[in-house]
Amino acid sequence: MGCCLSQLAAKFAFFPPLPATYQVKKRDDGRLVAVSTTSNMPIDDPSLDVLHVDTKRGNKIVAFYFKNPYAKLTILYSHGNAADLGQLYDLFLQLKANLRVNLMGYDYSGYGASSGKPSEFDTYADIEAVYECLQTEYGISQEDLILYGQSVGSGPTLHLAAKLPRLRGVVLHSGILSGLRVLCHANFSFCFDIYKNLNKIQKVKSPVLVIHGTEDDVVNWLHGNGLWKMARDPYEPLWIKGGGHCNLELYPDYIRHLCRFIQEMECMTTQIRLKKIRQTLRLPKRSDTTISTNCCCQVKCRLPNCLNCSKLSCTKCCLWPKWQLKCLPCCKPGCLKCSCTLPKCSCACPECSCGCPKCSCTCPKCSCTCPKCCCWSVKCSCW
């Protein structure tokens, strides 16, 4: 039943442009070229590679790869509904030049010159196949990759981003929380709902930039705001005042904000990334007092903090507090069951006659600190 409802939902979710705005032909030298269906002129661009990519679901999809010799990063672009690569060619050229990146765009199964029929799981297979192509054909690793999803393209984008922990970044352009929430603004999920992005974005570990228009009448602004709030590492969002669903690229703030995001991702090294991940981990706050149920004394003990490094019981940079002795069996200070808190020293040192816990007697043979009187000392071989 759920499968039938999913197929029904797919019929209302995907609208490939018919007819396609381009065709793919093979030249005499074996190279693939894209030909516009309106002008019958081939797109002859030396920086463009036209590719056929096979997916695990048996479809052959078309991908455009734009090379930029000055690029440090690569964008994998998943476009929105009712569009194909022929319509996005000019936009891809501008993004490649203005952002100074390599760019890979692809058509979903059933879109443009790609074979098959569109569905949620076909789009997942499509983006996985294109990512594998980037790895094998161009040597692009996830550390140098930014995933870009527009509208319905946010579905396959977050699907792949949730699987790549070392991804450089994610851009969600007019993204959706889920397919059903676009239609009826529901606050709950059904089994036949598609693109449940609200669940997948919480698994994305890379920085997430959200771009959305405040006057979007197709995907409400609340979708973008919800995705931004649920992201684990949210970047400063861009809310374009008055922007709709398909015209955000016309606003100057769009390219300006996107350029800043790309530049910051370029400057982000592995060391900075790991430090940022540690800072954003939502760990429970450490308490100053702990109750131990496994130690010998079973009393409330306060663990001393190191003044220099803020670590508990640090023995490398300091021995603070030096006056406080430790219980040897359970390593807790102030153990009432053991003899470490008695006023008299319980060792058999012939020179020990003081009643101070901080005993400073020495070994009669080598003049080292008595190993039984001082908890911080190292044992002497004379004993």
Side-chain angles (χ1 to χ4, degrees):
M1 181 66 179
C3 180
C4 296
L5 291 174
S6 298
Q7 294 177 358
L8 181 62
K11 292 183 179 180
F12 292 97
F14 301 101
F15 301 97
L18 297 174
T21 62
Y22 72 98
Q23 296 177 347
V24 175
K25 296 183 179 181
K26 184 179 291 188
R27 298 195 311 188
D28 296 336
D29 57 359
R31 183 182 178 185
L32 297 178
V33 294
V35 180
S36 174
T37 56
T38 57
S39 61
N40 291 325
M41 293 294 294
I43 302 175
D44 193 8
D45 188 345
S47 67
L48 171 63
D49 289 344
V50 180
L51 308 169
H52 271 151
V53 182
D54 296 320
T55 72
K56 63 182 180 181
R57 293 175 67 90
N59 297 325
K60 189 181 292 290
I61 63 175
V62 180
F64 286 2
Y65 182 71
F66 295 84
K67 295 169 288 188
N68 190 323
Y70 304 102
K72 296 181 180 179
L73 301 178
T74 300
I75 289 180
L76 176 52
Y77 194 105
S78 301
H79 61 72
N81 219 338
D84 61 17
L85 293 178
Q87 297 171 327
L88 297 170
Y89 174 77
D90 293 334
L91 173 63
F92 288 167
L93 284 179
Q94 295 178 9
L95 292 179
K96 180 199 73 170
N98 294 331
L99 302 180
R100 200 171 62 178
V101 294
N102 301 317
L103 191 145
M104 173 74 90
Y106 67 100
D107 266 336
Y108 312 121
S109 299
Y111 280 69
S114 298
S115 64
K117 294 183 179 180
S119 70
E120 177 186 6
F121 294 101
D122 277 303
T123 60
Y124 295 159
D126 296 339
I127 194 171
E128 289 174 358
V130 174
Y131 171 64
E132 184 178 354
C133 176
L134 283 173
Q135 286 183 304
T136 56
E137 298 294 331
Y138 299 100
I140 305 297
S141 62
Q142 59 176 294
E143 291 85 356
D144 299 324
L145 185 64
I146 293 178
L147 299 185
Y148 190 114
Q150 179 188 11
S151 188
V152 74
S154 59
T157 293
L158 289 176
H159 167 79
L160 182 61
K163 297 183 176 182
L164 302 179
R166 300 186 305 276
L167 194 67
R168 185 60 67 99
V170 175
V171 180
L172 300 178
H173 176 158
S174 303
I176 64 175
L177 288 170
S178 74
L180 184 63
R181 285 169 171 79
V182 176
L183 299 177
C184 59
H185 307 287
N187 292 326
F188 45 86
S189 299
F190 289 98
C191 61
F192 56 87
D193 197 2
I194 64 174
Y195 295 135
K196 299 176 183 178
N197 293 337
L198 70 166
N199 298 331
K200 294 182 179 180
I201 193 171
Q202 302 176 34
K203 303 176 183 179
V204 178
K205 298 180 176 63
S206 55
V208 178
L209 166 62
V210 178
I211 303 174
H212 217 106
T214 60
E215 301 298 327
D216 193 331
D217 57 354
V218 178
V219 179
N220 192 280
W221 169 82
L222 294 176
H223 286 253
N225 188 48
L227 291 172
W228 177 67
K229 287 183 176 180
M230 287 185 289
R232 296 176 61 175
D233 188 5
Y235 186 82
E236 180 185 352
L238 175 61
W239 311 127
I240 299 182
K241 187 176 181 181
H245 189 69
C246 301
N247 62 348
L248 301 186
E249 298 88 351
L250 303 178
Y251 290 81
D253 288 341
Y254 166 80
I255 195 66
R256 187 182 303 117
H257 199 84
L258 197 54
C259 280
R260 182 156 63 91
F261 175 74
I262 296 296
Q263 290 174 0
E264 291 189 20
M265 295 303 103
E266 288 178 348
C267 298
M268 182 181 294
T269 61
T270 303
Q271 183 177 3
I272 297 176
R273 176 75 179 278
L274 291 176
K275 183 179 179 180
K276 191 173 183 180
I277 291 175
R278 295 190 187 99
Q279 292 175 349
T280 55
L281 285 176
R282 299 172 183 175
L283 298 177
K285 294 183 178 180
R286 182 177 294 171
S287 177
D288 290 338
T289 59
T290 58
I291 299 178
S292 176
T293 58
N294 297 323
C295 67
C296 60
C297 47
Q298 295 192 15
V299 295
K300 183 179 292 188
C301 306
R302 185 180 188 279
L303 303 180
N305 289 330
C306 170
L307 295 180
N308 293 336
C309 63
S310 300
K311 291 183 180 179
L312 296 177
S313 301
C314 175
T315 58
K316 293 184 178 180
C317 58
C318 65
L319 297 176
W320 182 87
K322 293 182 178 180
W323 55 268
Q324 195 166 9
L325 295 178
K326 283 190 171 182
C327 168
L328 296 181
C330 63
C331 298
K332 298 288 183 181
C335 175
L336 300 179
K337 187 176 181 181
C338 307
S339 60
C340 53
T341 57
L342 295 179
K344 291 283 187 178
C345 179
S346 61
C347 68
C349 174
E351 296 186 8
C352 182
S353 60
C354 65
C356 175
K358 184 182 179 182
C359 181
S360 59
C361 63
T362 57
C363 172
K365 295 183 180 181
C366 63
S367 301
C368 68
T369 305
C370 174
K372 294 184 180 180
C373 301
C374 183
C375 297
W376 305 102
S377 65
V378 181
K379 287 189 176 182
C380 173
S381 59
C382 301
W383 299 92

